[in-house]
Amino acid sequence: MSAPLSARDRLFVALDVASVDRARVLVTALGDTVSCYKVGLELLFGGGLEFAQGLKAAGKTVFLDMKLLDIANTVEKAAANIASLGLDYLTIHGTDSKTLEAAARGRGTSRLKLLAVTVLTSLEKPDLEQQGIKDMAPADLVAHRARLARAARIDGIVASGHEAGLIRAEVGPGVLIVTPGIRLAGGVAGDQARVMTPGKAIAAGADLLVVGRPITEADDPRAAAAAFIAEIEKAL
Ligand code: C5P
């Protein structure tokens, strides 16, 4: 059994910036306060993969937000190649068992942990109907896909704080719940429709929290990150 995660190890700062130069300024400003970073599609195509590897080499925990979805052969081989980079977390779309199982085969016995995205939090019932999913509410589809992810031995599930309790009830302990859309009380929501405070998300069952703009766009990013970590600490 591994040691319980500290508050610092539960905060992932989303480096949603267009350039490595900007990311480097942020990481320097955040210093030792932040130990975990998420690199997503925007930065990835601005030199972000090399930057992510540099973060890892500097001792940080690195989460590659790729949201893979393709035929099984491609997902398996992409996951295998990503696993060889030595990073810590990778997202895949958890729409079906073929994708989930292919990613699990690809990462093999590497250290890479897989996180399944069940239903994007930007999608609502009319969007699912447009996809031809007419008989399920988003929450039911989230629960269904969480069960698929658990059956495929995926390490964790990305979910809004509002879904964390439902997912915990479906998958039980031992599956990580990773929650974006986190704001301190009174914080600006931005384009996130349903936000939650760090304390409430942890209480709802979240293990890891992903925070972007409230830290990256703060006047003092380091102080902002410290405030998130302090609230996580209090909730644990
Ligand atoms: O800036 P903000 O804190 O809203 O950033 C949240 C991060 O979490 C972004 O990188 C976003 O892409 C990611 N995310 C999300 N909702 C999901 C999955 C990922 O907001 N369902």
Side-chain angles (χ1 to χ4, degrees):
M1 195 66 189
S2 49
L5 291 170
S6 68
R8 185 187 310 274
D9 291 337
R10 291 172 188 270
L11 176 70
F12 281 74
V13 174
L15 290 171
D16 295 328
V17 293
S19 75
V20 163
D21 286 348
R22 176 73 191 126
R24 194 169 287 120
V25 168
L26 273 168
V27 169
T28 303
L30 292 167
D32 293 342
T33 301
V34 169
S35 59
C36 311
Y37 287 98
K38 180 171 92 71
V39 173
L41 293 173
E42 181 183 5
L43 183 58
L44 197 76
F45 295 105
L49 190 54
E50 294 72 20
F51 186 73
Q53 289 177 272
L55 287 174
K56 186 68 203 166
K60 303 295 185 186
T61 300
V62 180
F63 171 161
L64 204 57
D65 194 5
M66 291 289 303
K67 296 192 180 72
L68 294 181
L69 178 59
D70 208 314
I71 62 169
N73 180 61
T74 304
V75 169
E76 178 176 342
K77 289 180 176 161
N81 250 351
I82 292 167
S84 73
L85 300 175
L87 306 179
D88 300 282
Y89 294 92
L90 169 69
T91 49
I92 51 176
H93 274 291
T95 51
D96 60 277
S97 299
K98 284 183 179 171
T99 305
L100 294 161
E101 289 165 6
R105 281 194 304 276
R107 70 88 184 267
T109 55
S110 71
R111 62 176 295 131
L112 184 69
K113 287 192 163 60
L114 298 171
L115 304 174
V117 176
T118 55
V119 179
L120 290 170
T121 46
S122 53
L123 300 182
E124 296 177 303
K125 189 150 185 14
D127 304 300
L128 297 184
E129 285 172 4
Q130 192 185 58
Q131 290 183 15
I133 303 167
K134 298 196 190 294
D135 54 347
M136 268 182 144
D140 296 332
L141 191 55
V142 166
H144 172 65
R145 289 181 176 170
R147 287 192 293 271
L148 294 183
R150 187 190 50 190
R153 297 181 176 279
I154 298 303
D155 304 280
I157 292 172
V158 182
S160 82
H162 299 271
E163 296 161 350
L166 162 84
I167 290 177
R168 185 58 77 208
E170 285 296 335
V171 301
V175 175
L176 288 168
I177 297 180
V178 181
T179 301
I182 300 295
R183 298 290 182 267
L184 293 175
V188 178
D191 60 353
Q192 296 281 16
R194 296 188 307 144
V195 299
M196 197 175 259
T197 64
K200 283 197 174 138
I202 296 278
D207 298 292
L208 308 178
L209 306 182
V210 176
V211 182
R213 290 160 292 180
I215 293 173
T216 60
E217 295 181 0
D219 292 337
D220 183 346
R222 191 173 184 136
F228 276 91
I229 291 168
E231 191 173 325
I232 295 170
E233 179 87 60
K234 214 162 64 184
L236 289 174

